[in-house]
């Protein structure tokens, strides 16, 4: 699940992806930026982009939320909480939700479903959709109202971060400017079998 020594942030657009990696202080610190081409986009890997204390804080928070999630799905009540229901008994900011673009019984056209219900069925349906060469995903996400999502959004949207990203991409994408707001932000965890 979450590795204790690594925190990744990914900023993706149509033209490129930037992977921000923060590693333990004991590991080799480098400011080297790695670049490669993946399908139709440039990928940049930037080590130590985040201040180490901020990365540690976010990582501890993510671990706590993941533990809450594991407890919620192992609870005797079973998988009863959905962000689509009004009577959700679990605080939506306290767990990850399983996010798919299907309800587990039928294929949909990229409608997002976040819940702790029918996880195995939705994962199987997502794989079936993917195997038929259609867009699909199955992963864990924090609810958009989670304070950590808002904090990461604010950090990634800040002028300082936008300037750093523009400097990273300047050689290959001269003149590229970033909007002050992100169009989409997800805090995602990939577990075994997720994609």
């Amino acid at each position: 699940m979450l590795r204790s020594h690594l925190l990744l942030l990914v900023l993706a657009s149509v033209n490129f992806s930037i992977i921000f990696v923060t590693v333990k202080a004991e590991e080799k610190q480098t400011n080297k930026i790695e670049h490669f081409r993946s399908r139709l986009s440039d990928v940049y890997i930037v080590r130590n982009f985040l201040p180490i204390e901020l990365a540690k804080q976010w990582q501890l928070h993510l671990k706590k939320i993941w533990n809450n999630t594991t407890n919620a799905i192992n609870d005797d009540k079973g998988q009863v909480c959905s962000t689509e229901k009004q009577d959700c008994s679990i605080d939506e900011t306290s767990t990850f939700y399983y996010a798919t673009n299907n309800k587990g019984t039928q294929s949909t056209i990229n409608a997002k479903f976040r819940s702790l219900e029918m996880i195995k069925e939705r994962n199987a349906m997502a794989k079936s959709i993917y195997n038929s060469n259609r867009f699909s995903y199955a992963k864990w996400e924090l609810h958009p109202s989670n304070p950590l999502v808002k904090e990461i959004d604010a950090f990634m949207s800040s002028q300082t971060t936008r300037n750093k990203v523009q400097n990273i991409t300047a050689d290959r994408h001269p003149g590229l400017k970033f909007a002050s707001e992100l169009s989409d932000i997800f805090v995602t965890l990939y577990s075994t079998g997720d994609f």
Side-chain angles (χ1 to χ4, degrees):
M1 307 292 175
L2 289 174
R3 293 187 169 184
S4 61
H5 70 282
L6 188 63
L7 179 65
L8 300 175
L9 288 177
V10 178
L11 176 63
S13 76
V14 175
N15 298 321
F16 64 88
S17 296
I18 300 180
I19 302 173
F20 305 105
V21 182
T22 301
V23 296
K24 270 187 174 178
E26 306 90 64
E27 293 188 20
K28 183 180 177 184
Q29 298 292 314
T30 178
N31 291 328
K32 180 183 171 193
I33 297 171
E34 299 172 48
H35 171 266
F36 62 90
R37 190 92 175 131
S38 174
R39 291 196 176 196
L40 301 175
S41 69
D42 288 308
V43 177
Y44 300 85
I45 300 175
V46 183
R47 295 186 180 279
N48 304 310
F49 185 84
L50 292 176
I52 193 73
E53 289 307 315
L54 180 62
K56 286 179 183 178
Q57 175 189 336
W58 287 357
Q59 189 174 46
L60 287 173
H61 195 76
L62 289 168
K63 283 182 179 182
K64 179 181 176 185
I65 296 170
W66 182 245
N67 288 337
N68 290 345
T69 304
T70 315
N71 292 337
I73 60 177
N74 291 330
D75 191 359
D76 290 338
K77 295 177 185 173
Q79 300 170 1
V80 297
C81 186
S82 170
T83 55
E84 296 172 1
K85 293 181 179 179
Q86 296 296 327
D87 62 348
C88 185
S89 60
I90 298 174
D91 174 11
E92 65 190 18
T93 65
S94 67
T95 65
F96 279 90
Y97 286 90
Y98 204 64
T100 59
N101 59 337
N102 72 79
K103 288 187 175 184
T105 56
Q106 62 192 22
S107 176
T108 58
I109 301 177
N110 201 25
K112 177 168 282 201
F113 298 96
R114 285 188 194 102
S115 77
L116 296 178
E117 297 177 330
M118 299 177 60
I119 293 170
K120 289 179 184 176
E121 294 85 352
R122 290 168 47 223
N123 180 280
M125 178 63 73
K127 287 178 181 175
S128 174
I129 294 168
Y130 178 81
N131 289 334
S132 65
N133 293 321
R134 294 182 290 155
F135 176 72
S136 184
Y137 57 87
K139 59 186 182 166
W140 295 91
E141 284 184 6
L142 289 184
H143 193 275
S145 66
N146 189 292
L148 185 57
V149 174
K150 293 177 181 182
E151 185 177 341
I152 292 171
D153 185 13
F155 177 86
M156 297 301 287
S157 299
S158 73
Q159 186 64 50
T160 301
T161 301
R162 291 194 334 262
N163 289 344
K164 286 182 182 179
V165 171
Q166 284 176 204
N167 289 335
I168 291 166
T169 61
D171 288 344
R172 288 182 178 80
H173 302 280
L176 183 67
K177 300 291 182 201
F178 292 93
S180 61
E181 294 180 8
L182 299 175
S183 60
D184 248 342
I185 182 168
F186 307 108
V187 176
T188 301
L189 183 143
Y190 291 93
S191 187
T192 305
D194 296 343
F195 59 97

